[in-house]
Amino acid sequence: MTKFIDSEFVKGLGDVTTNLYQHGWDERNGGNVSYRIMDDEVAQFEDTGKVLRNIPIDFDATKLAGQYFLVTGTGRYFKNIKNFPERDTGLVRIADNGTSVDLMWGFNDGGEPTSEFPSHLMSHIARQAVDKDQRIIMHCHPTNIVAMTFTQPLDSKSFTRTIWKMHPEGIVVIPEGLAVIPYMCPGTVQIGETTAQQMERFRTVIWPHHGVFAAGDSLDETLGIIETIEKSALIFTTIQAQGGKMINCITDDDLRDLVDRFDLPANREFLYIKKP
């Protein structure tokens, strides 16, 4: 048997957090990721079978009892995770009481899961109800997406349509669209509950003036969703810098052509605009 530190899970998390840092989306200790690891996967390793300590959490996660999550630590810098995974991340198991986690590996300097972990768990519950393969919750601060929340209406439909119309990949990658919630204080039960409610329909939730909360079945998929939205936001920002007037554009008919061509499960509520 091998050690967990040498696993594809630890390596993958180190790679993606480095990528996020290099994008400029996770400055200092900004951002957090949780990665669901299946029971049989955890059982492969010789050093994940003993509870190192129990850590209380500010949420009743009984619905996830027994599930394992590799999670980034509170106050930890993404730029360091690849080199210090056993210090800056931890493998935790949701305890039977739901209000604490058993640390099985990592956080070897006394660390704890990110302060946003309750919000992550709420969204894991919501996404698992609609996607049995759900594994990742990823939070980061993409510059152009955040900037758009200062200049555009905080409305899910209009925000989605702007993103869709900046690049064909927009509707291909996020056919369901994205949700935009009101500004809320991060690290609170309120923002976690509001985000989880939206996660019942969307894989991506925009936190205005702050960042993105995204869900997916793998690290690559979840990062790819965020990268695609941020690319569209960058194109929008560049258009505004060039004067904001679009001589040419992707039309509603063009969007519907993409839906038909790729047989996309598009959000019809966002795809069509009722004419007066």
Side-chain angles (χ1 to χ4, degrees):
M1 297 178 71
T2 57
K3 292 190 175 182
F4 191 66
I5 196 168
D6 299 318
S7 71
E8 63 181 285
F9 310 108
V10 172
K11 181 181 184 302
L13 186 61
D15 288 343
V16 81
T17 51
T18 297
N19 199 334
L20 286 162
Y21 173 74
Q22 290 174 343
H23 275 316
W25 303 344
D26 289 285
E27 66 292 333
R28 200 172 182 271
N29 63 320
N32 29 79
V33 180
S34 59
Y35 185 175
R36 182 185 177 193
I37 313 296
M38 303 305 182
D39 293 8
D40 59 333
E41 294 169 336
V42 173
Q44 299 175 38
F45 305 100
E46 62 184 30
D47 53 349
T48 56
K50 178 182 177 182
V51 176
L52 303 178
R53 54 190 164 95
N54 183 264
I55 304 171
I57 55 174
D58 294 328
F59 173 64
D60 184 353
T62 303
K63 291 182 179 179
L64 301 174
Q67 292 190 16
Y68 293 88
F69 294 92
L70 179 61
V71 59
T72 55
T74 185
R76 304 309 167 104
Y77 293 22
F78 270 24
K79 67 179 181 180
N80 294 331
I81 288 175
K82 191 175 183 69
N83 291 328
F84 303 98
E86 200 166 3
R87 182 192 70 185
D88 294 341
T89 67
L91 177 69
V92 300
R93 182 181 61 198
I94 308 301
D96 290 341
N97 63 17
T99 57
S100 66
V101 297
D102 294 325
L103 178 65
M104 313 304 294
W105 175 90
F107 296 143
N108 62 7
D109 66 346
E112 298 185 358
T114 169
S115 61
E116 298 286 5
F117 196 41
S119 291
H120 281 242
L121 296 176
M122 293 177 204
S123 284
H124 276 292
I125 290 171
R127 289 306 305 167
Q128 286 183 30
V130 296
D131 176 8
K132 63 181 179 60
D133 296 321
Q134 158 66 26
R135 298 189 72 157
I136 307 295
I137 296 292
M138 187 178 294
H139 170 57
C140 60
H141 310 152
T143 306
N144 293 283
I145 297 173
V146 173
M148 283 182 65
T149 66
F150 286 91
T151 63
Q152 302 304 300
L154 300 180
D155 169 76
S156 299
K157 182 174 182 176
S158 61
F159 207 99
T160 293
R161 286 177 57 81
T162 297
I163 292 298
W164 278 354
K165 290 196 168 195
M166 291 300 102
H167 195 279
E169 292 296 321
I171 196 169
V172 171
V173 174
I174 49 164
E176 76 276 17
L178 49 84
V180 183
I181 64 174
Y183 175 80
M184 298 179 186
C185 182
T188 61
V189 171
Q190 182 187 21
I191 197 170
E193 291 177 341
T194 303
T195 300
Q197 289 170 2
Q198 296 298 328
M199 284 282 182
E200 295 173 4
R201 294 181 58 202
F202 303 94
R203 291 172 296 164
T204 314
V205 180
I206 306 298
W207 288 5
H209 322 323
H210 183 163
V212 171
F213 225 66
D217 297 351
S218 69
L219 289 168
D220 280 349
E221 178 199 19
T222 313
L223 177 59
I225 291 170
I226 299 172
E227 287 177 323
T228 301
I229 299 169
E230 172 66 3
K231 180 60 176 286
S232 289
L234 173 59
I235 293 169
F236 177 82
T237 301
T238 305
I239 291 170
Q240 300 309 302
Q242 292 179 2
K245 182 178 180 181
M246 291 190 292
I247 298 173
N248 309 294
C249 65
I250 293 175
T251 67
D252 285 3
D253 287 340
D254 294 331
L255 291 177
R256 288 190 282 272
D257 285 344
L258 285 163
V259 170
D260 292 341
R261 168 64 181 83
F262 294 101
D263 192 25
L264 302 172
N267 186 334
R268 301 284 166 166
E269 179 187 345
F270 290 2
L271 186 60
Y272 293 97
I273 290 182
K274 293 181 180 179
K275 296 182 179 180

